[in-house]
Amino acid sequence: MAGLVCSKSGMEQVLVENEVQQVKLLDSVNDDHGGVIVELSEAMDLKVFALMLKASIALWRSQGKRGVWIKIPIELINLAEAAVKEGFWFHHAEPKYLMLAFWIPEGAHTLPANASHCVSIVAFVMNNKREVLVVQEKSGIFRGKGIWKFPTGGVDEGEDICAGAIREVKEETAIDTEFVEVLAFWYEIYCNIIYHLQFKGHLINASPCVSSMGL
């Protein structure tokens, strides 16, 4: 059984099985919402981490902190077990790390859910003759059906929407375009929510036969 006794700089005196022990605190930074963020980077024994985590939570609770985020790199993933036992939950995972979350106050937490939305674009591109750029798909549901459509595609993670639209047109048609404006916005709900943006663009350069080029 562990309990907080008092704190010193970077250390906590913790009562463990009726003995007072000096325990190092986890390094953390304050976030903008009354919580703290911990980014683990050094390997440590699981029991040592568990004790450090208990002491740190006790201190954060005494300071009135709210949400706690712990970022665990994949090479230290064994430490997640101790955090889960303290009440942390998996918030999201990326290829090289796991993010855990914990809510100190009583009651329901107000931490944001992980990102779950995708953004795609539909490109309406017109030249100075008011001709519109269309393509035929070489893959997908319209393959081989002779259907002409606007260039479409998904915006990459962290990519500016305007840049993503220009990139998708370039990838599908080898044509350089200039972003002008957003024409429409709508969404569909599948397993995630997908937002669609239709944008208007101008051709910068093109060959005479670009209308027949596809994915």
Side-chain angles (χ1 to χ4, degrees):
M1 182 176 180
L4 179 65
V5 177
C6 62
S7 70
K8 293 184 178 181
S9 178
M11 301 288 291
E12 288 294 331
Q13 289 186 6
V14 177
L15 186 64
V16 181
E17 296 180 353
N18 297 321
E19 293 185 5
V20 176
Q21 297 183 11
Q22 286 285 110
V23 178
K24 183 180 178 182
L25 297 173
L26 294 171
D27 292 331
S28 64
V29 296
N30 295 328
D31 64 20
D32 296 329
H33 307 283
V36 295
I37 302 171
V38 176
E39 293 196 25
L40 300 178
S41 59
E42 298 181 2
M44 65 184 78
D45 180 79
L46 183 61
K47 292 183 178 180
V48 172
F49 171 69
L51 200 55
M52 293 173 65
L53 182 57
K54 285 179 181 289
S56 298
I57 291 175
L59 178 64
W60 296 328
R61 180 175 284 112
S62 71
Q63 295 173 337
K65 299 299 183 183
R66 294 158 57 83
V68 180
W69 303 91
I70 296 184
K71 183 178 180 180
I72 305 180
I74 193 170
E75 60 269 20
L76 303 180
I77 198 62
N78 64 299
L79 301 180
E81 177 185 353
V84 170
K85 288 181 178 179
E86 286 299 317
F88 282 78
W89 66 87
F90 290 11
H91 186 267
H92 67 273
E94 295 293 342
K96 294 187 177 181
Y97 74 85
L98 172 67
M99 184 67 78
L100 302 179
F102 180 75
W103 187 248
I104 294 177
E106 297 292 333
H109 74 81
T110 59
L111 298 176
N114 184 36
S116 60
H117 297 40
C118 303
V119 178
S120 65
I121 63 93
V122 179
F124 180 86
V125 182
M126 188 167 56
N127 62 15
N128 56 9
K129 297 180 181 179
R130 302 187 65 80
E131 296 172 330
V132 176
L133 177 65
V134 293
V135 299
Q136 287 187 338
E137 289 189 351
K138 292 182 178 179
S139 62
I141 61 175
F142 296 127
R143 177 185 179 184
K145 295 184 178 181
I147 296 175
W148 293 96
K149 58 183 284 290
F150 297 138
T152 60
V155 178
D156 292 338
E157 181 180 355
E159 184 178 32
D160 179 84
I161 294 175
C162 304
I166 293 171
R167 175 187 54 77
E168 282 293 341
V169 174
K170 179 73 171 181
E171 290 178 358
E172 295 187 9
T173 67
I175 295 172
D176 293 320
T177 56
E178 178 184 31
F179 183 90
V180 177
E181 61 183 336
V182 174
L183 295 179
F185 171 88
W186 72 100
Y187 72 92
E188 300 174 77
I189 299 179
Y190 297 105
C191 55
N192 292 324
I193 296 177
I194 301 180
Y195 290 104
H196 300 279
L197 290 172
Q198 183 172 7
F199 87 98
K200 181 179 180 181
H202 289 161
L203 291 175
I204 294 178
N205 64 70
S207 64
C209 58
V210 294
S211 62
S212 64
M213 300 181 67
L215 295 171

